[in-house]
Amino acid sequence: MADKGGTDKVKGKAKEALGKATGDKRTTAEGKMDQAMGKAKEAVADVKDSLRGRGDER
């Protein structure tokens, strides 16, 4: 998992914007779900990093 959720967040933002622009509630919801998945992946990656002792590098 090289991007740690960033791709999902960007894809989600694009889908949400497209859904809002076209009035498509399903696409908007999918975009929000993709963003949530990206945030969850980032949280998991942060926990893994901190467990490995790399959490203080920021």
Side-chain angles (χ1 to χ4, degrees):
M1 182 183 330
D3 72 359
K4 299 183 182 180
T7 303
D8 287 328
K9 287 174 60 177
V10 171
K11 180 175 73 172
K13 285 275 189 192
K15 272 189 182 179
E16 184 180 5
L18 178 65
K20 284 181 179 180
T22 61
D24 186 352
K25 291 180 182 179
R26 181 177 178 156
T27 302
T28 303
E30 286 177 5
K32 288 181 180 182
M33 183 59 108
D34 287 344
Q35 289 177 63
M37 288 284 284
K39 288 179 184 179
K41 285 181 182 180
E42 285 180 341
V44 168
D46 288 345
V47 169
K48 285 182 180 180
D49 286 347
S50 65
L51 289 174
R52 291 184 183 132
R54 289 190 257 161
D56 297 333
E57 291 182 7
R58 293 177 190 201

